[in-house]
Amino acid sequence: MTKIADNVNPNVYEKGSEREVTSSERDEDVVDEIDSREIFDLLRNINDPEHPLTLEELRVIEERNIYVDNKDNSVRVYFTPTIPHCSMATLIGLSIRVLLLRALPSRYKVTVEVSEGTHVSEHAVNKQLADKERVAAALENKNLVQIINQCVA
Amino acid sequence: MAKLELQQNLIGHKGIVWNVSWHPLGNMFSSCGEDKIIKLWSKEGDKWVTKTVLVDGHQRTIREVAWSPCGNFLASASFDGTTAIWDKKSGQFECNATLEGHENEVKSVSWSPSGNLLATCGRDKSVWVWEVAGDDEYVCEAVLNSHNQDVKKVVWHPTSDILASSSYDNTVKVYKEDQLDSDWTCIATLHSHDSTVWSLAFDKTGKRLATCSDDKTVKIWQSYGPDNQEGVIVDGEDATWKCVCTLSGYHTRCIYDISWCHTTGLLATACGDDILRIFKEADDSDPNAPSFDLICTKLNAHSQDVNCVQWNPSGNGELLSCSDDGEIRIWKFIME
């Protein structure tokens, strides 16, 4: 038996263009700090757990909802579930967290939250994603890690 | 001016170091973490070195280690759902008992001051009280289901068999055994934090409790007995706990641990902003509305979140900390 997706017919949006590589980025002498576009590029191709679509195509992840502060070494990502009662919100958030944990230098403090007002259990989902002990325990669960790896592959 | 001077940086774990625990004599400590091993450290000359490594006790992350008050037993709590008791009756440290019962991750373990009781807690929202029944024998005395979310930490009162726990449900609970029917019950619930309460510590007398939270505050609670002179209303014979001080505006991220030195009265906190902070009660502090001053801030105490902080129980001003960065650091607190 296959579970029917929470949102059977989500809106699908076009993918944005690839990042243009400027000449200053090729210049090794110019300090190239991590910015929101770079985080977006890391996250845009995460697969939705329910649809053969990426988080970018579903507009779960948008560059304008990503904030990077290099002075503070903080990264803040807000994601937008396609529907307010999406049961996959925690899994999507966890996938984002795991990918950033693996990709970013460890000095960054990463916060992953649901965009304000876009999910019925917004507060509960945010609290769970912020609890690093729960995240650490979840990442020792092989089945869950397998599902997350499929999403971030 | 007060300062924390780094005495030694200890590298020996792979991945997150979750907890460090001083031996009651203060001349040895144990550490544990994501790598599922326990290390015992002591001094050789003036350097701390690994003396023993305990392996194969747990299948998953070891979240906390705790020495018994006599110093002969070490308890370890793990995400694998078990608590192991280690001792060296045979000459070297071995696991001679395993406490099973929690449904999943065990997050904290603590010995009562007499050493006759143990408490554990975990993600299954319960707190278990175990009695030391004999050689390598531990019997469950009570399962307390007062919290409605996972329980992060259990800590005993310094002199009597009173237990306190803190939780993801934003509260702290206090328990004791009813002398008549020997039933363990929750005798107080402390509401005031706005998010997960990660840790808590009693002061030397046990009349005060300090709690730290994801809401970036530290709170000081005071107990008022039935015959208190302050006019605090007490229901029955169990003390009322009142929040008498909130330290806010100091920490910029979640506070993971707090330690109350029973010799100097200083409070130390471990924070997700990589900073260690020391607070001291002001000289002119009102006992019923105390004020605490931040007297020391150690920026970049670690390169990632600081998970645990513990004052040396001998009162020599040594402070242990450990972090997500895989390191353990020993600090000396100096008041100039």
Side-chain angles (χ1 to χ4, degrees), chain B residues 223-285:
Chain B
S223 76
Y224 292 90
D227 50 358
N228 74 81
Q229 305 299 305
E230 289 84 3
V232 175
I233 296 164
V234 176
D235 186 21
E237 51 190 81
D238 296 318
T240 292
W241 287 87
K242 210 177 129 192
C243 178
V244 291
C245 175
T246 299
L247 302 172
S248 58
Y250 297 107
H251 301 84
T252 65
R253 297 187 74 89
C254 176
I255 312 163
Y256 291 110
D257 199 18
I258 187 158
S259 178
W260 206 327
C261 181
H262 288 182
T263 307
T264 60
L266 296 172
L267 278 170
T269 60
C271 185
D273 60 13
D274 311 347
I275 298 173
L276 283 171
R277 293 177 177 83
I278 311 284
F279 295 88
K280 183 178 182 288
E281 187 168 2
D283 294 333
D284 57 352
S285 178

Side-chain angles (χ1 to χ4, degrees), chain B residues 6 51 63 83 120 149 201 204 261 271 283 333:
Chain B
L6 180 64
K51 281 292 167 82
R63 179 64 181 89
T83 305
T120 57
Q149 289 290 342
K204 182 176 69 179
C261 181
C271 185
D283 294 333
F333 178 76

Side-chain angles (χ1 to χ4, degrees), chain B residues 2-56:
Chain B
K3 63 176 181 186
L4 276 175
E5 212 174 70
L6 180 64
Q7 292 204 303
Q8 208 180 327
N9 189 25
L10 304 169
I11 301 165
H13 281 283
K14 270 171 94 175
I16 300 168
V17 188
W18 278 109
N19 189 252
V20 282
S21 172
W22 283 107
H23 184 275
L25 294 176
N27 56 3
M28 174 160 85
F29 67 88
S30 53
S31 60
C32 66
E34 193 182 1
D35 59 7
K36 310 176 187 71
I37 60 169
I38 299 167
K39 290 199 160 204
L40 306 183
W41 307 77
S42 62
K43 253 181 167 172
E44 225 163 58
D46 56 358
K47 288 283 169 215
W48 291 88
V49 293
T50 305
K51 281 292 167 82
T52 310
V53 182
L54 307 179
V55 293
D56 298 330

Side-chain angles (χ1 to χ4, degrees), chain B residues 48-291:
Chain B
W48 291 88
V49 293
T50 305
K51 281 292 167 82
T52 310
V53 182
L54 307 179
V55 293
D56 298 330
H58 293 288
Q59 310 296 318
R60 292 182 54 190
T61 284
I62 304 175
R63 179 64 181 89
E64 197 168 284
V65 276
W67 289 98
S68 63
C70 66
N72 293 329
F73 300 89
L74 181 71
S76 58
S78 166
F79 284 179
D80 69 10
T82 69
T83 305
I85 312 291
W86 309 75
D87 65 60
K88 57 171 185 182
K89 285 194 288 263
S90 67
Q92 57 187 10
F93 271 97
E94 282 176 340
C95 173
N96 284 317
T98 306
L99 314 186
E100 291 174 7
H102 282 287
E103 280 171 39
N104 39 46
E105 293 94 307
V106 186
K107 298 191 165 175
S108 177
V109 58
S110 174
W111 298 83
S112 72
S114 65
N116 295 328
L117 296 168
L118 263 173
T120 57
C121 66
R123 184 158 73 98
D124 63 8
K125 305 170 189 173
S126 67
V127 171
W128 292 50
V129 179
W130 309 78
E131 190 190 1
V132 183
D135 258 3
D136 305 331
E137 258 202 83
Y138 297 82
V139 181
C140 174
E141 277 235 318
V143 177
L144 302 159
N145 288 301
S146 302
H147 286 292
N148 57 37
Q149 289 290 342
D150 48 328
V151 189
K152 294 293 194 188
K153 185 103 174 172
V154 277
V155 169
W156 289 93
H157 184 282
T159 52
S160 55
D161 288 344
I162 290 173
L163 180 67
S165 64
S166 70
S167 163
Y168 190 86
D169 70 10
N170 307 354
T171 71
V172 170
K173 305 246 177 204
V174 182
Y175 317 82
K176 81 166 193 201
E177 188 181 24
D178 190 317
Q179 295 305 330
L180 291 175
D181 55 8
S182 64
D183 247 1
W184 282 83
T185 48
C186 175
I187 52 168
T189 301
L190 284 55
H191 297 272
S192 185
H193 281 295
D194 293 326
S195 190
T196 304
V197 188
W198 279 86
S199 187
L200 65 174
F202 281 100
D203 76 343
K204 182 176 69 179
T205 64
K207 287 190 177 128
R208 279 185 180 171
L209 191 59
T211 56
C212 64
S213 163
D214 179 52
D215 69 10
K216 302 170 193 156
T217 71
V218 167
K219 287 180 187 282
I220 311 291
W221 308 77
Q222 188 146 293
S223 76
Y224 292 90
D227 50 358
N228 74 81
Q229 305 299 305
E230 289 84 3
V232 175
I233 296 164
V234 176
D235 186 21
E237 51 190 81
D238 296 318
T240 292
W241 287 87
K242 210 177 129 192
C243 178
V244 291
C245 175
T246 299
L247 302 172
S248 58
Y250 297 107
H251 301 84
T252 65
R253 297 187 74 89
C254 176
I255 312 163
Y256 291 110
D257 199 18
I258 187 158
S259 178
W260 206 327
C261 181
H262 288 182
T263 307
T264 60
L266 296 172
L267 278 170
T269 60
C271 185
D273 60 13
D274 311 347
I275 298 173
L276 283 171
R277 293 177 177 83
I278 311 284
F279 295 88
K280 183 178 182 288
E281 187 168 2
D283 294 333
D284 57 352
S285 178
D286 174 351
N288 294 302
S291 53

